[in-house]
Amino acid sequence: MLKINNIEVLYHEVILALKAVSLEVPAGEVVALLGANGAGKSTTLKAISGLLRHENGKVAEGSIEFLGERIDRKSAEEIARMGIIQVIEGRRVFEHLTVEQNLKVGAHLGGNGAMVRNGLEAVYHYFPRLQERRNVVAGMGLAPLLIKEIFEIITRLHQEQGIAILLVEQNAKLALAVARHAYVLEGGRVVMDGPSEQLRENPDIRDFYLGLTDLGARKSFRAVKHYKRRKRWIT
Amino acid sequence: METFLQLVITGILVGSIYALVALGWTIIYKCSGVLNLAMGELTLLGAYVCLAFYTWGFPFPVALLATLIVGFVLGLLTERLFLRRMIGQPILAVIMITAGLSFFFRAVVGFIWGTDTRVFTPPVFPTEPVRLGKMVMGQVYIWSFLAALVLLLVFVGFFQYSRWGLSMQAAADDEMAALSLGVSVKRVYALAWAIAFMAAGVGGTLLGNINGLNISVGYLGILVLPAVVLGGLNSVPGAIVGGITIGILQNLSGGYLEQLTPGGVKDIAPFVFMVIIMLFRPYGLWGWEKIERV
Ligand SMILES: Nc1ncnc2c1ncn2[C@@H]1O[C@H](COP(=O)(O)OP(=O)(O)O)[C@@H](O)[C@H]1O
Ligand SMILES: [Mg+2]
């Protein structure tokens, strides 16, 4: 459904952030994107959603297709309208709007009033606490969900609504538990990909991303860092 | 006491016009971070457009409505022609463009309508003053207040309830997040300019009704700056309260201090007040610091 073919991404025309990245998200599936800080995960998402241009970045080579249509030249607005939404990282709400106004900004993508209402209802179904606080200003008194709750909701959205998800998460263990397939980015390249079960068993992944040695004990941060410097992924 | 009350009430009535123009400033700043130095010229342009319609024989409400429509179109056009290409450029460069626009619009107004003072003839509002107890109030003030109030309510309603109003507020809070939800930021900028033109045009028209219309109506743009700063550059309610506060302040200083000094106090008082407020609240009473998040 979503297909990235060999893209190269540049920031400010010179900073090469992604090199020959290809990946695929089939309809209705959850795919995880793993990688250390600065590997290019956020850049990949922004390339898909069209937000890249807002940071003076661009897809210089390759293409991105959604439902058979090229989207790498489209604006963020058009891409969102086609049904791809990037949930940007951090606690980002429109803090001077109420909870419900926040939701309406997104729901308006749907167009007519009935769709806005349905959209709001669906959100309140998944997040009942929000309905109680619909008229609260979002900048005050909204607690972030626990990561466990977020994963539960992602799983439900995927199972009940059939939404396809490209998941970027620092916590590789959780991400691999939810996703069927995963890609590993390093230095702007895909260095490994495969079904989650397979990656979970991969010794390098266990070592570096899951922080487990063969004994199942956590490695110290220093050891992991060192490991990173010594060894590069080989595809 | 009556004098005081009269000054305060007149201040509120005139202040509502300031509030309208202040809202125009605020909406552009809020949505795009640009201080629009052409604000005064937008009030001029709107006032002359309304005068033209009125002189052609349209009833005043129709002329005002036509001014709103012309303002809307001119706002979209200005954004498209002069500001769209500046998106992503340093904010100072964009502000300089608005300085250029101010000279441009002023020249256009001078070229079409000349520099003589014009008045709306026949007078739009009855000249018979209204008596409230011991107070005497020109009807033009009362009608202007009502017109400004209606428009302010319409704008506030638009921001709070309409799809595009919410989009504008969202983009002002977090542009990246708004983009990620499919909000067209270009359209938000264009709408901000359209609203600024409409608000300024009506503000200029109302003031032109009170004082007569010449190039000095354009000083309204700078005069309301203290109101905008006072309220906080990015707060719509702040602009409204700020406008009314400045109206009251101006009238009080005019009423009480003018006898003691050789004139001009009325015009300076708001700025003195602005400086004092800024010393203590750099973001105004309701403004907030915009934190850029990456
Ligand atoms: N706006 C930007 N301008 C310039 N370089 C950037 C920008 N955003 C990210 N980069 C660079 O691109 C690379 C990938 O970053 P990013 O995609 O944020 O990594 P990740 O999300 O995996 O931590 C990094 O080297 C980073 O410095
Ligand atoms: Mg990132």
Side-chain angles (χ1 to χ4, degrees):
Chain A
M1 180 167 73
L2 177 71
K3 233 173 149 174
I4 299 184
N5 309 311
N6 241 323
I7 56 166
E8 179 182 295
V9 167
L10 291 175
Y11 283 109
H12 306 282
E13 302 288 340
V14 286
I15 303 171
L16 185 58
L18 294 186
K19 302 148 211 165
V21 166
S22 294
L23 67 80
E24 198 171 336
V25 182
E29 291 210 14
V30 181
V31 173
L33 198 53
L34 306 179
N37 248 334
K41 305 180 297 293
S42 301
T43 302
T44 306
L45 295 190
K46 286 184 282 190
I48 298 167
S49 67
L51 291 182
L52 203 53
R53 219 161 306 144
H54 195 63
E55 294 189 359
N56 206 351
K58 69 169 187 193
V59 178
E61 298 278 337
S63 67
I64 305 176
E65 282 168 39
F66 179 58
L67 301 171
E69 198 177 337
R70 267 190 83 157
I71 59 169
D72 45 291
R73 299 270 181 276
K74 289 192 191 296
S75 70
E77 185 198 355
E78 289 169 300
I79 294 169
R81 215 166 283 284
M82 291 177 77
I84 303 180
I85 299 292
Q86 178 179 356
V87 181
I88 50 187
E89 61 197 310
R91 281 187 67 191
R92 295 175 83 151
V93 291
F94 304 118
E95 49 190 345
H96 298 95
L97 295 181
T98 65
V99 166
E100 183 145 310
Q101 286 176 327
N102 264 270
L103 296 176
K104 275 186 177 164
V105 172
H108 278 313
L109 257 185
N112 62 46
M115 284 174 80
V116 171
R117 265 191 309 281
N118 288 345
L120 289 184
E121 256 163 46
V123 172
Y124 290 141
H125 169 69
Y126 284 101
F127 302 88
R129 299 284 297 277
L130 284 186
Q131 184 152 28
E132 297 158 24
R133 302 182 186 187
R134 60 208 288 173
N135 293 320
V136 174
V137 174
M140 304 197 248
L142 268 192
L145 283 178
L146 296 174
I147 188 149
K148 199 170 127 268
E149 297 172 299
I150 293 179
F151 271 88
E152 276 168 20
I153 291 193
I154 289 176
T155 311
R156 281 179 65 197
L157 279 175
H158 158 65
Q159 287 169 351
E160 296 168 17
Q161 309 270 333
I163 295 174
I165 296 167
L166 178 56
L167 181 68
V168 172
E169 169 53 48
Q170 295 287 335
N171 189 329
K173 193 174 166 194
L174 272 174
L176 286 176
V178 174
R180 181 196 290 236
H181 198 98
Y183 291 79
V184 180
L185 275 176
E186 192 185 293
R189 290 177 196 279
V190 175
V191 289
M192 184 186 290
D193 82 278
S196 296
E197 314 84 69
Q198 198 179 317
L199 288 193
R200 260 199 306 269
E201 298 310 319
N202 181 297
D204 290 336
I205 296 277
R206 287 177 69 82
D207 232 17
F208 187 50
Y209 289 102
L210 302 179
L212 300 169
T213 63
D214 286 342
L215 296 171
R218 269 204 115 71
K219 269 196 162 184
S220 83
F221 179 67
R222 189 181 293 273
V224 173
K225 278 283 264 230
H226 181 230
Y227 182 77
K228 184 189 177 191
R229 248 177 280 132
R230 233 178 45 227
K231 175 160 178 175
R232 303 239 111 212
W233 298 104
I234 297 156
T235 25
Chain B
M1 192 60 205
E2 271 83 39
T3 325
F4 178 78
L5 216 60
Q6 166 118 30
L7 287 171
V8 169
I9 292 179
T10 315
I12 293 173
L13 300 184
V14 177
S16 66
I17 303 178
Y18 297 165
L20 212 46
V21 181
L23 183 138
W25 269 103
T26 298
I27 201 63
I28 290 184
Y29 181 81
K30 189 178 160 78
C31 291
S32 62
V34 174
L35 217 51
N36 173 20
L37 297 180
M39 203 59 209
E41 282 65 28
L42 304 196
T43 63
L44 264 186
L45 212 55
Y48 277 103
V49 166
C50 189
L51 182 80
F53 280 111
Y54 189 65
T55 321
W56 289 333
F58 290 96
F60 184 71
V62 178
L64 203 58
L65 199 66
T67 306
L68 283 171
I69 295 168
V70 171
F72 183 81
V73 173
L74 281 181
L76 295 186
L77 220 60
T78 303
E79 194 277 337
R80 188 74 192 83
L81 291 179
F82 300 106
L83 294 138
R84 178 73 55 89
R85 65 194 71 222
M86 298 301 290
I87 291 179
Q89 301 298 318
I91 220 73
L92 195 61
V94 189
I95 294 176
M96 291 326 287
I97 294 271
T98 70
L101 282 175
S102 93
F103 288 107
F104 173 66
F105 289 140
R106 184 164 287 240
V108 168
V109 166
F111 179 74
I112 302 179
W113 288 286
T115 48
D116 295 339
T117 300
R118 305 225 187 169
V119 286
F120 285 75
T121 38
V124 174
F125 304 110
T127 44
E128 194 84 342
V130 177
R131 282 171 203 286
L132 280 161
K134 288 213 178 87
M135 289 183 292
V136 186
M137 204 69 64
Q139 283 203 36
V140 64
Y141 287 97
I142 296 170
W143 286 107
S144 296
F145 172 72
L146 291 177
L149 194 68
V150 168
L151 202 57
L152 286 171
L153 287 176
V154 168
F155 281 137
V156 169
F158 171 79
F159 292 133
Q160 288 300 313
Y161 300 110
S162 79
R163 167 182 188 176
W164 281 106
L166 288 176
S167 297
M168 289 176 84
Q169 290 203 63
D173 258 5
D174 188 334
E175 196 169 289
M176 187 81 161
L179 271 170
S180 78
L181 292 174
V183 169
S184 161
V185 172
K186 282 179 192 152
R187 202 170 307 173
V188 165
Y189 291 161
L191 266 176
W193 276 86
I195 289 172
F197 260 87
M198 292 196 290
V202 173
T205 301
L206 297 177
L207 206 73
N209 260 302
I210 294 174
N211 293 338
L213 183 51
N214 60 32
I215 222 94
S216 72
V217 165
Y219 292 121
L220 189 57
I222 292 300
L223 187 69
V224 302
L225 193 55
V228 179
V229 173
L230 175 66
L233 276 165
N234 43 18
S235 162
V236 169
I240 295 172
V241 175
I244 289 171
T245 309
I246 294 301
I248 296 172
L249 209 69
Q250 205 188 25
N251 263 277
L252 286 180
S253 53
Y256 290 116
L257 303 177
E258 204 91 297
Q259 304 108 304
L260 312 173
T261 56
V265 180
K266 202 176 161 168
D267 299 323
I268 296 174
F271 288 93
V272 173
F273 191 59
M274 170 176 94
V275 170
I276 294 171
I277 288 288
M278 284 186 78
L279 285 177
F280 296 100
R281 306 243 355 187
Y283 300 103
L285 298 179
W286 288 276
W288 59 85
E289 186 180 6
K290 194 157 180 170
I291 302 160
E292 293 295 334
R293 283 161 297 191
V294 184

